[in-house]
């Protein structure tokens, strides 16, 4: 059986650079956001497009967080927490994805990219743990888990409700779902706290997304998630990510037991630096440790705004050469 590894670099703010715009300009304009993603696809011809830019700000902004936009290459940043106590949580309402904040902007950009690109298109949403931590402030949310667990669970429940509403709007448009949840990675969140708080909320959200009509939902957590790899799979996700530094072989074995797709990443820094030797070495290690896995996706971390397109194209050429050699060895 010939195995084809999917090639999926993570292109968010880099897409803005390709059309000569700043991240803040593209993040606030539906046309520019779609233009950037389509320009990236025209150049790189990757196998899947995830539409987004400052992916952890969108829901928080729709809930009242103040987002700082910039005139330079910096990413928009969240300047304020929203929840200072239980009263604030009780006053919050799940945003309407068709009307509130930039949620409609993301939906519209996804629709256009889906119409114009011949590959699967995914919409991004913030995972419940990460959204709860942003709304509350990370340190305060960790303290809530330790000292006020019922309050922490209520925040997670609300965050999962926000994610489901956004996901349902994507599903209605035939857009795939990617849940971004990188704030659960150790040591930001210990494995014990992950299992007690984050995982149940993720499991609930993914089950609800599938009931709403999605065929699957990917759970993307950056960093070294080896200590919680099995727990991530227990959420019911259809895809998990192993960043560079993870135990790829362990991830492959776990994913193989569940029939789940594995995204294995080289370091985005290698792509940013245009380091051909490093990119090649890291790709070969992924191939060796995940050899023969039918549901392998090859990518890198988020491609930076300043990464030269030639570096991404070199990454793709190395990937294609490696794939061709693997096919020849079959």
């Amino acid at each position: 059986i010939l195995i084809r590894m999917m090639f999926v670099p993570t292109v968010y703010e880099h897409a803005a650079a390709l059309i000569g715009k700043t991240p803040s300009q593209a993040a606030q304009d539906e046309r520019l956001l779609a233009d950037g993603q389509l320009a990236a696809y025209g150049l790189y011809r990757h196998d899947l497009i995830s539409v987004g830019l400052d992916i952890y700000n969108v829901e928080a902004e729709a809930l009242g967080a103040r987002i700082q936009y910039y005139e330079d290459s910096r990413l928009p940043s969240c300047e304020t927490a929203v929840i200072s106590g239980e009263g604030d949580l009780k006053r919050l309402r799940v945003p309407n994805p068709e009307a509130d904040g930039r949620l409609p902007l993301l939906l519209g950009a996804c629709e256009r990219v889906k119409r114009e690109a011949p590959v699967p298109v995914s919409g991004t949403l913030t995972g419940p743990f990460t959204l709860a931590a942003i709304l509350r402030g990370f340190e305060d949310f960790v303290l809530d888990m330790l000292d006020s667990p019922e309050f922490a669970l209520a925040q997670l429940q609300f965050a999962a409700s926000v994610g489901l509403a956004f996901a349902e709007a994507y599903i209605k448009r035939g857009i795939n779902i990617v849940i971004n949840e990188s704030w659960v990675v150790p040591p930001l969140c210990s494995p014990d706290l992950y299992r007690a708080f984050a995982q149940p909320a993720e499991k609930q959200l993914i089950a609800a997304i599938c009931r709403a009509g999605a065929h699957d939902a990917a759970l993307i957590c950056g960093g070294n998630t080896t200590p919680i790899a099995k727990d991530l799979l227990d959420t019911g996700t259809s895809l998990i990510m192993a960043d560079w530094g993870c135990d790829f072989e362990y991830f492959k074995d776990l994913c193989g037991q569940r029939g789940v797709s594995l995204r294995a990443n080289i370091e985005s820094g290698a792509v940013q630096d245009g380091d051909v030797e490093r990119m090649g070495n890291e790709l070969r290690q992924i191939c060796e440790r995940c050899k023969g896995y039918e549901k392998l996706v090859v990518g890198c971390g988020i491609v930076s705004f300043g990464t030269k397109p030639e570096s991404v194209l070199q990454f793709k050429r190395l990937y294609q050469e490696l794939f061709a050699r693997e096919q020849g060895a079959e």
Side-chain angles (χ1 to χ4, degrees):
I1 299 172
L2 296 181
I3 306 302
R4 184 184 187 280
M5 302 180 293
M6 293 180 66
F7 174 72
V8 185
T10 305
V11 181
Y12 293 139
E13 62 265 31
H14 179 70
L18 293 178
I19 59 170
K21 301 297 180 182
T22 68
S24 290
Q25 286 173 324
Q28 298 177 87
D29 187 303
E30 178 182 318
R31 179 182 62 82
L32 294 179
L33 186 61
D35 283 350
Q37 290 296 334
L38 291 167
Y41 176 74
L43 191 57
Y44 305 134
R45 297 289 170 174
H46 36 309
D47 292 310
L48 183 149
I49 300 171
S50 290
V51 178
L53 202 145
D54 56 328
I55 57 175
Y56 290 126
N57 293 335
V58 177
E59 294 97 329
E61 184 179 39
L63 286 159
R66 186 174 69 248
I67 306 301
Q68 179 67 51
Y69 295 100
Y70 302 99
E71 296 181 357
D72 54 26
S73 63
R74 286 176 290 175
L75 278 174
S77 60
C78 185
E79 300 291 312
T80 58
V82 174
I83 298 172
S84 60
E86 294 188 31
D88 291 332
L89 178 61
K90 291 176 181 177
R91 285 189 289 271
L92 286 178
R93 296 292 178 266
V94 174
N96 177 0
E98 309 291 346
D100 293 337
R102 285 186 287 149
L103 303 181
L105 185 158
L106 265 291
L107 295 173
C110 281
E111 285 186 293
R112 181 179 156 210
V113 174
K114 183 175 184 290
R115 284 195 307 270
E116 298 185 23
V119 294
V121 175
S122 295
T124 57
L125 59 88
T126 306
F129 182 91
T130 301
L131 181 57
I134 290 169
L135 295 175
R136 177 74 166 121
F138 184 77
E139 290 183 4
D140 286 333
F141 185 62
V142 170
L143 290 174
D144 289 341
M145 289 190 289
L146 297 173
D147 299 332
S148 305
E150 290 185 2
F151 181 35
L153 290 170
Q155 293 174 72
L156 285 163
Q157 181 73 38
F158 175 75
S161 298
V162 173
L164 178 58
F166 201 8
E168 287 174 337
Y170 281 131
I171 292 166
K172 185 170 71 175
R173 292 164 168 82
I175 304 297
N176 299 324
I177 306 296
V178 173
I179 303 167
N180 293 285
E181 185 76 303
S182 287
W183 288 27
V184 301
V185 63
L188 285 176
C189 178
S190 74
D192 286 343
L193 285 178
Y194 174 76
R195 286 187 283 269
F197 290 92
Q199 188 205 44
E202 294 162 0
K203 189 173 184 178
Q204 171 193 337
L205 175 58
I206 290 170
I209 286 171
C210 291
R211 286 195 301 270
H215 296 297
D216 48 45
L219 182 62
I220 300 297
C221 309
N224 189 352
T225 52
T226 303
I228 58 170
K230 183 179 181 299
D231 305 304
L232 293 170
L233 283 167
D234 286 343
T235 63
T237 180
S238 60
L239 178 148
I240 59 171
M241 183 173 76
D243 258 345
W244 185 254
C246 289
D247 185 335
F248 291 125
E249 193 166 357
Y250 176 61
F251 270 79
K252 181 199 73 171
D253 291 342
L254 288 176
C255 288
Q257 294 166 18
R258 311 290 184 91
V260 169
S261 296
L262 170 61
R263 176 185 172 125
N265 282 353
I266 72 168
E267 285 187 288
S268 59
V271 181
Q272 178 174 295
D273 296 342
D275 190 330
V276 175
E277 182 178 3
R278 186 171 153 203
M279 286 190 280
N281 287 339
E282 293 184 5
L283 277 168
R284 281 189 289 274
Q285 289 185 55
I286 288 173
C287 188
E288 290 167 4
R289 294 169 187 174
C290 301
K291 189 174 181 62
Y293 193 56
E294 297 182 16
K295 294 188 174 183
L296 181 64
V297 178
V298 177
C300 60
I302 296 173
V303 181
S304 71
F305 181 83
T307 296
K308 293 180 179 179
E310 177 53 36
S311 294
V312 183
L313 291 169
Q314 182 64 59
F315 172 35
K316 184 174 185 179
R317 282 192 288 271
L318 291 167
Y319 151 82
Q320 290 172 325
E321 291 169 5
L322 180 63
F323 171 68
R325 283 198 296 272
E326 286 301 303
Q327 298 306 284
E330 291 288 341

mmCIF file of all heavy atoms in Angstrom, residues 180-214:
data_model
loop_
_atom_site.group_PDB
_atom_site.id
_atom_site.type_symbol
_atom_site.label_atom_id
_atom_site.label_comp_id
_atom_site.label_asym_id
_atom_site.label_seq_id
_atom_site.Cartn_x
_atom_site.Cartn_y
_atom_site.Cartn_z
ATOM 1 N N ASN A 180 -8.126 24.786 18.891
ATOM 2 C CA ASN A 180 -6.771 25.161 19.310
ATOM 3 C C ASN A 180 -6.728 25.283 20.835
ATOM 4 O O ASN A 180 -7.443 26.088 21.421
ATOM 5 C CB ASN A 180 -6.377 26.486 18.660
ATOM 6 C CG ASN A 180 -6.222 26.346 17.167
ATOM 7 O OD1 ASN A 180 -5.236 25.791 16.690
ATOM 8 N ND2 ASN A 180 -7.196 26.821 16.406
ATOM 9 N N GLU A 181 -5.851 24.486 21.439
ATOM 10 C CA GLU A 181 -5.877 24.354 22.901
ATOM 11 C C GLU A 181 -4.471 24.273 23.485
ATOM 12 O O GLU A 181 -4.158 23.475 24.351
ATOM 13 C CB GLU A 181 -6.700 23.100 23.240
ATOM 14 C CG GLU A 181 -6.973 22.812 24.694
ATOM 15 C CD GLU A 181 -8.035 23.674 25.332
ATOM 16 O OE1 GLU A 181 -7.880 24.911 25.310
ATOM 17 O OE2 GLU A 181 -9.003 23.117 25.880
ATOM 18 N N SER A 182 -3.577 25.160 23.028
ATOM 19 C CA SER A 182 -2.168 25.014 23.389
ATOM 20 C C SER A 182 -1.854 25.381 24.834
ATOM 21 O O SER A 182 -0.746 25.098 25.305
ATOM 22 C CB SER A 182 -1.292 25.844 22.435
ATOM 23 O OG SER A 182 -1.242 25.232 21.168
ATOM 24 N N TRP A 183 -2.776 25.996 25.560
ATOM 25 C CA TRP A 183 -2.475 26.361 26.936
ATOM 26 C C TRP A 183 -2.564 25.181 27.896
ATOM 27 O O TRP A 183 -2.313 25.335 29.091
ATOM 28 C CB TRP A 183 -3.384 27.502 27.391
ATOM 29 C CG TRP A 183 -3.044 28.814 26.764
ATOM 30 C CD1 TRP A 183 -2.451 29.028 25.555
ATOM 31 C CD2 TRP A 183 -3.278 30.120 27.296
ATOM 32 N NE1 TRP A 183 -2.316 30.378 25.304
ATOM 33 C CE2 TRP A 183 -2.814 31.069 26.361
ATOM 34 C CE3 TRP A 183 -3.852 30.583 28.475
ATOM 35 C CZ2 TRP A 183 -2.902 32.443 26.564
ATOM 36 C CZ3 TRP A 183 -3.940 31.962 28.686
ATOM 37 C CH2 TRP A 183 -3.465 32.880 27.736
ATOM 38 N N VAL A 184 -2.901 23.997 27.394
ATOM 39 C CA VAL A 184 -2.937 22.831 28.276
ATOM 40 C C VAL A 184 -1.580 22.140 28.358
ATOM 41 O O VAL A 184 -1.398 21.212 29.147
ATOM 42 C CB VAL A 184 -3.987 21.793 27.815
ATOM 43 C CG1 VAL A 184 -5.371 22.410 27.783
ATOM 44 C CG2 VAL A 184 -3.631 21.178 26.467
ATOM 45 N N VAL A 185 -0.620 22.550 27.544
ATOM 46 C CA VAL A 185 0.651 21.828 27.465
ATOM 47 C C VAL A 185 1.410 21.947 28.791
ATOM 48 O O VAL A 185 1.474 23.020 29.395
ATOM 49 C CB VAL A 185 1.505 22.367 26.298
ATOM 50 C CG1 VAL A 185 1.880 23.835 26.499
ATOM 51 C CG2 VAL A 185 2.746 21.515 26.093
ATOM 52 N N PRO A 186 1.974 20.836 29.298
ATOM 53 C CA PRO A 186 2.855 20.944 30.462
ATOM 54 C C PRO A 186 4.073 21.785 30.113
ATOM 55 O O PRO A 186 4.552 21.717 28.967
ATOM 56 C CB PRO A 186 3.248 19.487 30.733
ATOM 57 C CG PRO A 186 2.185 18.667 30.060
ATOM 58 C CD PRO A 186 1.789 19.456 28.847
ATOM 59 N N PRO A 187 4.613 22.599 31.031
ATOM 60 C CA PRO A 187 4.210 22.725 32.429
ATOM 61 C C PRO A 187 3.156 23.820 32.687
ATOM 62 O O PRO A 187 2.879 24.099 33.846
ATOM 63 C CB PRO A 187 5.523 23.093 33.109
ATOM 64 C CG PRO A 187 6.226 23.943 32.085
ATOM 65 C CD PRO A 187 5.857 23.345 30.746
ATOM 66 N N LEU A 188 2.614 24.455 31.636
ATOM 67 C CA LEU A 188 1.571 25.456 31.882
ATOM 68 C C LEU A 188 0.434 24.855 32.691
ATOM 69 O O LEU A 188 -0.103 25.477 33.604
ATOM 70 C CB LEU A 188 1.034 26.007 30.561
ATOM 71 C CG LEU A 188 1.906 26.989 29.784
ATOM 72 C CD1 LEU A 188 1.251 27.336 28.456
ATOM 73 C CD2 LEU A 188 2.143 28.258 30.607
ATOM 74 N N CYS A 189 0.052 23.649 32.332
ATOM 75 C CA CYS A 189 -0.998 22.920 33.033
ATOM 76 C C CYS A 189 -0.461 21.530 33.334
ATOM 77 O O CYS A 189 0.004 20.834 32.423
ATOM 78 C CB CYS A 189 -2.260 22.847 32.167
ATOM 79 S SG CYS A 189 -3.628 21.924 32.898
ATOM 80 N N SER A 190 -0.511 21.108 34.583
ATOM 81 C CA SER A 190 0.013 19.791 34.930
ATOM 82 C C SER A 190 -0.892 18.704 34.355
ATOM 83 O O SER A 190 -2.085 18.923 34.136
ATOM 84 C CB SER A 190 0.088 19.636 36.450
ATOM 85 O OG SER A 190 -1.223 19.464 36.991
ATOM 86 N N PRO A 191 -0.352 17.518 34.098
ATOM 87 C CA PRO A 191 -1.198 16.425 33.615
ATOM 88 C C PRO A 191 -2.387 16.132 34.518
ATOM 89 O O PRO A 191 -3.483 15.821 34.031
ATOM 90 C CB PRO A 191 -0.226 15.237 33.548
ATOM 91 C CG PRO A 191 1.106 15.875 33.257
ATOM 92 C CD PRO A 191 1.084 17.148 34.062
ATOM 93 N N ASP A 192 -2.208 16.242 35.836
ATOM 94 C CA ASP A 192 -3.323 15.987 36.751
ATOM 95 C C ASP A 192 -4.422 17.022 36.587
ATOM 96 O O ASP A 192 -5.615 16.682 36.559
ATOM 97 C CB ASP A 192 -2.830 15.972 38.197
ATOM 98 C CG ASP A 192 -2.037 14.712 38.542
ATOM 99 O OD1 ASP A 192 -2.150 13.724 37.788
ATOM 100 O OD2 ASP A 192 -1.314 14.728 39.556
ATOM 101 N N LEU A 193 -4.033 18.294 36.491
ATOM 102 C CA LEU A 193 -5.047 19.338 36.290
ATOM 103 C C LEU A 193 -5.684 19.195 34.917
ATOM 104 O O LEU A 193 -6.884 19.443 34.752
ATOM 105 C CB LEU A 193 -4.419 20.721 36.445
ATOM 106 C CG LEU A 193 -4.088 21.175 37.871
ATOM 107 C CD1 LEU A 193 -3.422 22.544 37.853
ATOM 108 C CD2 LEU A 193 -5.344 21.210 38.742
ATOM 109 N N TYR A 194 -4.895 18.802 33.926
ATOM 110 C CA TYR A 194 -5.467 18.593 32.602
ATOM 111 C C TYR A 194 -6.573 17.545 32.660
ATOM 112 O O TYR A 194 -7.675 17.744 32.148
ATOM 113 C CB TYR A 194 -4.391 18.165 31.596
ATOM 114 C CG TYR A 194 -5.013 17.801 30.269
ATOM 115 C CD1 TYR A 194 -5.462 18.784 29.400
ATOM 116 C CD2 TYR A 194 -5.235 16.470 29.918
ATOM 117 C CE1 TYR A 194 -6.087 18.464 28.207
ATOM 118 C CE2 TYR A 194 -5.850 16.141 28.731
ATOM 119 C CZ TYR A 194 -6.285 17.136 27.884
ATOM 120 O OH TYR A 194 -6.923 16.818 26.724
ATOM 121 N N ARG A 195 -6.270 16.411 33.289
ATOM 122 C CA ARG A 195 -7.250 15.325 33.345
ATOM 123 C C ARG A 195 -8.479 15.701 34.162
ATOM 124 O O ARG A 195 -9.599 15.278 33.848
ATOM 125 C CB ARG A 195 -6.594 14.060 33.901
ATOM 126 C CG ARG A 195 -5.667 13.378 32.904
ATOM 127 C CD ARG A 195 -5.164 12.057 33.430
ATOM 128 N NE ARG A 195 -4.098 12.229 34.414
ATOM 129 C CZ ARG A 195 -2.802 12.261 34.104
ATOM 130 N NH1 ARG A 195 -2.422 12.136 32.837
ATOM 131 N NH2 ARG A 195 -1.898 12.403 35.041
ATOM 132 N N ALA A 196 -8.284 16.490 35.196
ATOM 133 C CA ALA A 196 -9.406 16.835 36.078
ATOM 134 C C ALA A 196 -10.284 17.943 35.511
ATOM 135 O O ALA A 196 -11.502 17.957 35.762
ATOM 136 C CB ALA A 196 -8.875 17.253 37.452
ATOM 137 N N PHE A 197 -9.706 18.864 34.745
ATOM 138 C CA PHE A 197 -10.459 20.042 34.318
ATOM 139 C C PHE A 197 -10.585 20.155 32.792
ATOM 140 O O PHE A 197 -11.688 20.215 32.260
ATOM 141 C CB PHE A 197 -9.806 21.306 34.881
ATOM 142 C CG PHE A 197 -9.970 21.447 36.363
ATOM 143 C CD1 PHE A 197 -9.010 20.949 37.234
ATOM 144 C CD2 PHE A 197 -11.083 22.073 36.880
ATOM 145 C CE1 PHE A 197 -9.163 21.066 38.610
ATOM 146 C CE2 PHE A 197 -11.250 22.200 38.254
ATOM 147 C CZ PHE A 197 -10.290 21.693 39.129
ATOM 148 N N ALA A 198 -9.463 20.218 32.098
ATOM 149 C CA ALA A 198 -9.512 20.512 30.666
ATOM 150 C C ALA A 198 -10.091 19.363 29.863
ATOM 151 O O ALA A 198 -10.959 19.562 29.006
ATOM 152 C CB ALA A 198 -8.109 20.854 30.158
ATOM 153 N N GLN A 199 -9.621 18.150 30.124
ATOM 154 C CA GLN A 199 -10.031 17.025 29.289
ATOM 155 C C GLN A 199 -11.549 16.794 29.284
ATOM 156 O O GLN A 199 -12.140 16.590 28.215
ATOM 157 C CB GLN A 199 -9.303 15.751 29.703
ATOM 158 C CG GLN A 199 -9.540 14.592 28.750
ATOM 159 C CD GLN A 199 -9.364 13.256 29.426
ATOM 160 O OE1 GLN A 199 -9.839 13.035 30.537
ATOM 161 N NE2 GLN A 199 -8.659 12.361 28.748
ATOM 162 N N PRO A 200 -12.228 16.821 30.435
ATOM 163 C CA PRO A 200 -13.681 16.616 30.389
ATOM 164 C C PRO A 200 -14.406 17.663 29.547
ATOM 165 O O PRO A 200 -15.361 17.338 28.841
ATOM 166 C CB PRO A 200 -14.095 16.696 31.867
ATOM 167 C CG PRO A 200 -12.866 16.318 32.629
ATOM 168 C CD PRO A 200 -11.729 16.882 31.832
ATOM 169 N N ALA A 201 -13.934 18.912 29.602
ATOM 170 C CA ALA A 201 -14.565 19.970 28.799
ATOM 171 C C ALA A 201 -14.309 19.757 27.316
ATOM 172 O O ALA A 201 -15.197 19.956 26.482
ATOM 173 C CB ALA A 201 -14.045 21.341 29.245
ATOM 174 N N GLU A 202 -13.099 19.335 26.968
ATOM 175 C CA GLU A 202 -12.784 19.058 25.567
ATOM 176 C C GLU A 202 -13.609 17.877 25.049
ATOM 177 O O GLU A 202 -14.132 17.903 23.930
ATOM 178 C CB GLU A 202 -11.292 18.766 25.408
ATOM 179 C CG GLU A 202 -10.401 19.966 25.696
ATOM 180 C CD GLU A 202 -8.964 19.595 25.958
ATOM 181 O OE1 GLU A 202 -8.626 18.389 25.926
ATOM 182 O OE2 GLU A 202 -8.157 20.506 26.209
ATOM 183 N N LYS A 203 -13.701 16.843 25.876
ATOM 184 C CA LYS A 203 -14.471 15.656 25.485
ATOM 185 C C LYS A 203 -15.930 16.015 25.249
ATOM 186 O O LYS A 203 -16.546 15.588 24.265
ATOM 187 C CB LYS A 203 -14.347 14.601 26.579
ATOM 188 C CG LYS A 203 -14.909 13.241 26.216
ATOM 189 C CD LYS A 203 -14.571 12.229 27.292
ATOM 190 C CE LYS A 203 -15.043 10.836 26.909
ATOM 191 N NZ LYS A 203 -14.666 9.831 27.935
ATOM 192 N N GLN A 204 -16.476 16.835 26.136
ATOM 193 C CA GLN A 204 -17.862 17.285 25.991
ATOM 194 C C GLN A 204 -18.043 18.094 24.707
ATOM 195 O O GLN A 204 -19.009 17.892 23.961
ATOM 196 C CB GLN A 204 -18.247 18.143 27.203
ATOM 197 C CG GLN A 204 -19.584 18.850 27.083
ATOM 198 C CD GLN A 204 -19.749 19.921 28.155
ATOM 199 O OE1 GLN A 204 -19.109 19.879 29.202
ATOM 200 N NE2 GLN A 204 -20.595 20.897 27.889
ATOM 201 N N LEU A 205 -17.106 18.995 24.436
ATOM 202 C CA LEU A 205 -17.205 19.844 23.254
ATOM 203 C C LEU A 205 -17.104 19.014 21.975
ATOM 204 O O LEU A 205 -17.909 19.201 21.045
ATOM 205 C CB LEU A 205 -16.108 20.908 23.290
ATOM 206 C CG LEU A 205 -15.995 21.813 22.053
ATOM 207 C CD1 LEU A 205 -17.292 22.553 21.794
ATOM 208 C CD2 LEU A 205 -14.830 22.791 22.216
ATOM 209 N N ILE A 206 -16.149 18.108 21.908
ATOM 210 C CA ILE A 206 -15.972 17.308 20.696
ATOM 211 C C ILE A 206 -17.191 16.425 20.448
ATOM 212 O O ILE A 206 -17.664 16.293 19.312
ATOM 213 C CB ILE A 206 -14.677 16.482 20.789
ATOM 214 C CG1 ILE A 206 -13.460 17.423 20.684
ATOM 215 C CG2 ILE A 206 -14.619 15.408 19.700
ATOM 216 C CD1 ILE A 206 -12.133 16.768 20.999
ATOM 217 N N ALA A 207 -17.738 15.836 21.505
ATOM 218 C CA ALA A 207 -18.941 15.005 21.338
ATOM 219 C C ALA A 207 -20.104 15.843 20.821
ATOM 220 O O ALA A 207 -20.859 15.413 19.937
ATOM 221 C CB ALA A 207 -19.302 14.344 22.671
ATOM 222 N N ALA A 208 -20.248 17.061 21.346
ATOM 223 C CA ALA A 208 -21.338 17.938 20.911
ATOM 224 C C ALA A 208 -21.142 18.385 19.463
ATOM 225 O O ALA A 208 -22.110 18.488 18.698
ATOM 226 C CB ALA A 208 -21.431 19.149 21.834
ATOM 227 N N ILE A 209 -19.894 18.656 19.082
ATOM 228 C CA ILE A 209 -19.596 19.040 17.701
ATOM 229 C C ILE A 209 -19.974 17.907 16.739
ATOM 230 O O ILE A 209 -20.572 18.141 15.685
ATOM 231 C CB ILE A 209 -18.105 19.406 17.558
ATOM 232 C CG1 ILE A 209 -17.835 20.777 18.210
ATOM 233 C CG2 ILE A 209 -17.669 19.421 16.106
ATOM 234 C CD1 ILE A 209 -16.369 21.133 18.306
ATOM 235 N N CYS A 210 -19.651 16.685 17.112
ATOM 236 C CA CYS A 210 -19.991 15.551 16.248
ATOM 237 C C CYS A 210 -21.507 15.341 16.192
ATOM 238 O O CYS A 210 -22.059 15.037 15.123
ATOM 239 C CB CYS A 210 -19.275 14.299 16.739
ATOM 240 S SG CYS A 210 -17.476 14.374 16.498
ATOM 241 N N ARG A 211 -22.195 15.544 17.308
ATOM 242 C CA ARG A 211 -23.656 15.441 17.288
ATOM 243 C C ARG A 211 -24.271 16.515 16.407
ATOM 244 O O ARG A 211 -25.340 16.316 15.813
ATOM 245 C CB ARG A 211 -24.221 15.556 18.706
ATOM 246 C CG ARG A 211 -24.002 14.319 19.572
ATOM 247 C CD ARG A 211 -24.889 14.342 20.798
ATOM 248 N NE ARG A 211 -24.661 15.515 21.627
ATOM 249 C CZ ARG A 211 -23.778 15.577 22.618
ATOM 250 N NH1 ARG A 211 -23.025 14.503 22.903
ATOM 251 N NH2 ARG A 211 -23.626 16.673 23.345
ATOM 252 N N ALA A 212 -23.605 17.659 16.309
ATOM 253 C CA ALA A 212 -24.116 18.768 15.498
ATOM 254 C C ALA A 212 -23.916 18.549 14.002
ATOM 255 O O ALA A 212 -24.383 19.353 13.194
ATOM 256 C CB ALA A 212 -23.456 20.078 15.925
ATOM 257 N N GLY A 213 -23.211 17.476 13.638
ATOM 258 C CA GLY A 213 -23.096 17.157 12.225
ATOM 259 C C GLY A 213 -21.695 17.105 11.667
ATOM 260 O O GLY A 213 -21.512 16.788 10.481
ATOM 261 N N ALA A 214 -20.690 17.421 12.471
ATOM 262 C CA ALA A 214 -19.311 17.329 11.985
ATOM 263 C C ALA A 214 -18.874 15.871 11.939
ATOM 264 O O ALA A 214 -19.242 15.075 12.802
ATOM 265 C CB ALA A 214 -18.370 18.125 12.884
#
